[in-house]
Amino acid sequence: MALYVISKENAAFADAGLDRLVQLWGMSIDTYWPRVIRGEISLLQNRIIRIGNMAKELGHNIRDDEILRIAQIYSREYMKRCAPIEGSMEILRKIRDEGIRTGIITNNISEMKYEKVDRLGFSPYLDSVTLSAEYGIMKPRPEIFHIALNRLKTSPGRSVMIGDSLENDVSGAIGAGMKAIWFNRGSMESSVANTGIISINSYVPPEEAWNI
């Protein structure tokens, strides 16, 4: 994890512990990420602001040049540490073999997402990548799901969304008229048990996943 690396780069973060850094990092994403999507700040500026805020929450003031250095390290380490979730390539190959069109919908920007998709090796198995930044619409709004479905030349009733965000991916897809599977990778407690939402929390072999 990139946050672990930056915890070793400056004393302001060294004693906080990784769990605390993850908590602080996540607290500001809803404030600054929409500004990245709208083009108001760059990806690097987003990270500079959030690292500075994280330091202040921990009671430290860090020089601007040091914050920039840490933000650049975070950016480099984030991409280096990207790896596919266990079993994801097998699932994608199975879907491709069955002739089913596949796409990604992401609240991301092109400079980050396309590099990430290529690094993970997903590109040969995808028919489209729909980026919120290109349309100014973020998940969970149904419009971004409909845009993706139109690009895949399919309809909500014939489509399934698989995602790890209960709000952005699952609720958003259902609101757009799709079926949804929640990849609950952290085995978080939730109230989905009686809602009919399918939930998985670990690797499922393709032959089993096909019957979910």
Side-chain angles (χ1 to χ4, degrees), residues 142-212:
E143 296 94 329
I144 195 67
F145 292 90
H146 292 151
I147 289 169
L149 293 171
N150 287 335
R151 295 181 66 184
L152 289 168
K153 297 180 173 59
T154 189
S155 61
R158 300 183 63 201
S159 306
V160 178
M161 176 73 179
I162 303 173
D164 62 0
S165 170
L166 190 56
E167 178 181 359
N168 290 337
D169 298 324
V170 176
S171 296
I174 292 173
M178 302 171 64
K179 296 178 182 178
I181 297 173
W182 181 31
F183 180 47
N184 182 11
R185 70 168 83 194
S187 297
M188 295 183 294
E189 293 185 7
S190 73
S191 57
V192 302
N194 298 317
T195 64
I197 295 173
I198 298 170
S199 174
I200 57 175
N201 56 25
S202 61
Y203 169 61
V204 178
E207 59 274 12
E208 294 181 24
W210 211 244
N211 296 316
I212 289 178

Side-chain angles (χ1 to χ4, degrees), residues 13 22-23 33 41 58 64 78 101 127 161-162 191 193 200:
F13 306 117
V22 170
Q23 178 191 35
W33 194 249
I41 58 175
L58 294 170
D64 290 345
Y78 179 86
R101 292 187 295 276
D127 296 289
M161 176 73 179
I162 303 173
S191 57
I200 57 175

Side-chain angles (χ1 to χ4, degrees), residues 7-80:
S7 74
K8 304 299 181 183
E9 290 292 329
N10 189 285
F13 306 117
D15 297 329
L18 185 58
D19 288 345
R20 177 62 170 151
L21 293 182
V22 170
Q23 178 191 35
L24 291 174
W25 188 249
M27 282 171 56
S28 59
I29 190 168
D30 289 339
T31 300
Y32 295 104
W33 194 249
R35 295 184 61 191
V36 176
I37 296 296
R38 293 193 297 266
E40 297 172 0
I41 58 175
S42 70
L43 179 61
L44 182 60
Q45 287 172 324
N46 156 70
R47 288 170 175 166
I48 288 170
I49 293 168
R50 292 168 68 192
I51 288 169
N53 289 347
M54 191 163 60
K56 289 177 183 177
E57 286 288 335
L58 294 170
H60 299 278
N61 287 310
I62 304 178
R63 299 191 321 271
D64 290 345
D65 60 334
E66 176 65 2
I67 293 176
L68 173 60
R69 185 184 75 85
I70 294 171
Q72 290 170 331
I73 290 172
Y74 179 92
S75 298
R76 183 176 66 247
E77 293 296 325
Y78 179 86
M79 293 309 302
K80 279 173 57 177

